[in-house]
Amino acid sequence: MVIFAEFFVVILKVLWAFVTAGAKWVVRPKEKSVAGQVCVITGAGSGLGRLFAKEFARRRAVLVLWDINSKSNEETAELVREIYRELDSESPMAKEGAIGGLEEVLPFKPQVYTYVCDVGKRESVYSTAEKVRREVGNVDMLINNAGVVSGHHLLECPDELIERTMVVNCHAHFWTTKAFLPKMLELNHGHIVTVASSLGLFSTAGVEDYCASKFGAIGFHESLSHEIKASDKDGIKMTLVCPYLVDTGMFKGCRIRKEIEPFLPPLKPEFCVTQSMRAILTDQAMICTPRIVYMVNFMKSFLPFEAIVCMYRFLGRKELMNNNEAKGDI
């Protein structure tokens, strides 16, 4: 009888989960504040990483920017400082007090830190993380964004590029998380964001290494989410970002059938980050853009394989350029 009682409770919880999820479609959840929180962004020197940095800066977060390219990372930092200066100029130096006097308001202090880090090297990740803890403090938010794509078919792809893709897109998430999660668990506070890809939910031809790396990143993220839930650390949030191909240059040359492309073009990076930020700031577990990605992923779970092949052939073949040195994108 006990097992039936527990099963009934599970059914009620599942139904309640559907109700709460549906309610969020009707009443938009309030975005949380990240002002003053330390946010580490990998691959911050370009693409989505740079846009994430600007969005978090507008919300007054303390930015810790990681990238393998020092020059591009400093360029992002300068953009962040400019946003901080704008916020500082908009902040009143004083406000009216309760008894008619003036109460001093401290000006906003811009804080952005840059670190050169190759997330594809475990030692580099751990040593840089130690510097961050020593120089900045505890990390509240970790945005695992850095990524590369080789753009070769399997038999044409050098082993070194396959290894690089797997290490940067997947293994690095293990290392950054191991570096910052212990303190989050201790404080029961934190947020880990995995920037993956729709190609980590369903695959296509010619990008075997990229798909495998993103499938791995999603598997890691989901398993870690369950582990954190099992530990009853409800103060630690997880968000999985799975966009369609983003027009950042990493997928230059990637095209679907020209008649269909106007209806499913590559995503604008700004749109992708705007949607992702809304999900992150409302503690949404997963965000797919555009919404059709949800449907395609669902269809994959029950359609026969040959039916999926027919759909892919209808959409058209995709070709990618060799861009394994690109960073900060998906």
Side-chain angles (χ1 to χ4, degrees), residues 247-278:
D247 188 15
T248 58
M250 282 188 71
F251 293 96
K252 184 179 179 181
C254 179
R255 291 290 181 269
I256 61 175
R257 192 169 179 170
K258 63 181 181 180
E259 295 89 350
I260 299 175
E261 190 170 19
F263 302 98
L264 197 60
L267 296 177
K268 295 296 183 183
E270 295 79 8
F271 173 77
C272 177
V273 170
T274 298
Q275 297 296 309
S276 300
M277 287 297 296
R278 183 179 302 169

Side-chain angles (χ1 to χ4, degrees), residues 12 91 93 95 101 104 116 166 178 301 307:
L12 289 179
S91 299
M93 294 299 295
K95 65 180 181 181
E104 183 179 356
V116 175
M166 294 300 298
K178 287 183 69 176
S301 65

Side-chain angles (χ1 to χ4, degrees), residues 156-170:
E156 301 169 356
C157 188
D159 292 345
E160 294 77 12
L161 290 187
I162 294 175
E163 291 175 346
R164 178 70 176 169
T165 300
M166 294 300 298
V167 168
V168 173
N169 293 1
C170 182

Side-chain angles (χ1 to χ4, degrees), residues 29-58:
K30 182 181 178 181
E31 294 185 355
K32 65 183 180 183
S33 172
V34 293
Q37 296 196 24
V38 178
C39 178
V40 171
I41 303 176
T42 67
S46 61
L48 299 186
R50 176 171 289 180
L51 293 174
F52 272 120
K54 292 169 68 176
E55 288 297 324
F56 277 105
R58 292 187 181 102

Side-chain angles (χ1 to χ4, degrees), residues 213-274:
S213 68
K214 292 301 184 179
F215 266 82
I218 291 176
F220 167 74
H221 179 97
E222 291 182 349
S223 180
L224 179 63
S225 297
H226 287 299
E227 183 175 330
I228 292 174
K229 285 289 186 182
S231 65
D232 292 326
K233 298 294 185 179
D234 57 357
I236 301 176
K237 308 301 180 182
M238 302 281 293
T239 298
L240 176 62
V241 178
C242 293
Y244 177 62
L245 303 182
V246 183
D247 188 15
T248 58
M250 282 188 71
F251 293 96
K252 184 179 179 181
C254 179
R255 291 290 181 269
I256 61 175
R257 192 169 179 170
K258 63 181 181 180
E259 295 89 350
I260 299 175
E261 190 170 19
F263 302 98
L264 197 60
L267 296 177
K268 295 296 183 183
E270 295 79 8
F271 173 77
C272 177
V273 170
T274 298

Side-chain angles (χ1 to χ4, degrees), residues 1-293:
M1 293 298 293
V2 175
I3 190 171
F4 289 109
E6 291 180 355
F7 180 72
F8 181 71
V9 172
V10 169
I11 293 298
L12 289 179
K13 288 183 177 179
V14 169
L15 293 175
W16 180 247
F18 274 102
V19 171
T20 54
K24 291 179 180 179
W25 284 74
V26 179
V27 181
R28 182 176 173 180
K30 182 181 178 181
E31 294 185 355
K32 65 183 180 183
S33 172
V34 293
Q37 296 196 24
V38 178
C39 178
V40 171
I41 303 176
T42 67
S46 61
L48 299 186
R50 176 171 289 180
L51 293 174
F52 272 120
K54 292 169 68 176
E55 288 297 324
F56 277 105
R58 292 187 181 102
R59 291 163 175 82
R60 301 173 181 266
V62 176
L63 273 298
V64 179
L65 310 179
W66 288 18
D67 202 276
I68 195 174
N69 188 314
S70 175
K71 182 176 182 294
S72 61
N73 206 28
E74 287 297 335
E75 290 173 354
T76 300
E78 186 53 41
L79 293 173
V80 167
R81 294 185 187 102
E82 179 60 32
I83 292 173
Y84 284 156
R85 284 191 288 268
E86 292 175 1
L87 292 174
D88 191 19
S89 65
E90 294 171 0
S91 299
M93 294 299 295
K95 65 180 181 181
E96 188 174 351
I99 57 175
L102 292 179
E103 178 184 349
E104 183 179 356
V105 177
L106 294 177
F108 175 68
K109 299 293 185 182
Q111 292 177 287
V112 56
Y113 304 83
T114 59
Y115 296 87
V116 175
C117 179
D118 182 355
V119 296
K121 295 180 179 179
R122 183 175 62 250
E123 297 79 7
S124 179
V125 171
Y126 290 151
S127 62
T128 306
E130 181 58 36
K131 290 179 182 178
V132 171
R133 283 190 292 267
R134 186 171 60 250
E135 299 171 4
V136 185
N138 296 328
V139 170
D140 301 291
M141 306 193 72
L142 171 61
I143 316 297
N144 280 317
N145 165 77
V148 295
V149 59
S150 68
H152 292 288
H153 294 277
L154 176 63
L155 299 182
E156 301 169 356
C157 188
D159 292 345
E160 294 77 12
L161 290 187
I162 294 175
E163 291 175 346
R164 178 70 176 169
T165 300
M166 294 300 298
V167 168
V168 173
N169 293 1
C170 182
H171 298 177
H173 294 219
F174 287 76
W175 303 330
T176 56
T177 302
K178 287 183 69 176
F180 297 118
L181 181 59
K183 198 64 179 180
M184 291 183 181
L185 290 171
E186 179 184 333
L187 300 175
N188 192 22
H189 172 75
H191 198 142
I192 299 175
V193 178
T194 299
V195 181
S197 170
S198 61
L199 293 180
L201 298 171
F202 48 84
S203 59
T204 188
V207 282
E208 291 83 358
D209 57 339
Y210 185 79
C211 288
S213 68
K214 292 301 184 179
F215 266 82
I218 291 176
F220 167 74
H221 179 97
E222 291 182 349
S223 180
L224 179 63
S225 297
H226 287 299
E227 183 175 330
I228 292 174
K229 285 289 186 182
S231 65
D232 292 326
K233 298 294 185 179
D234 57 357
I236 301 176
K237 308 301 180 182
M238 302 281 293
T239 298
L240 176 62
V241 178
C242 293
Y244 177 62
L245 303 182
V246 183
D247 188 15
T248 58
M250 282 188 71
F251 293 96
K252 184 179 179 181
C254 179
R255 291 290 181 269
I256 61 175
R257 192 169 179 170
K258 63 181 181 180
E259 295 89 350
I260 299 175
E261 190 170 19
F263 302 98
L264 197 60
L267 296 177
K268 295 296 183 183
E270 295 79 8
F271 173 77
C272 177
V273 170
T274 298
Q275 297 296 309
S276 300
M277 287 297 296
R278 183 179 302 169
I280 294 167
L281 296 176
T282 56
D283 295 331
Q284 187 173 325
M286 180 179 181
I287 174 72
C288 293
T289 48
R291 294 189 184 277
I292 193 174
V293 173

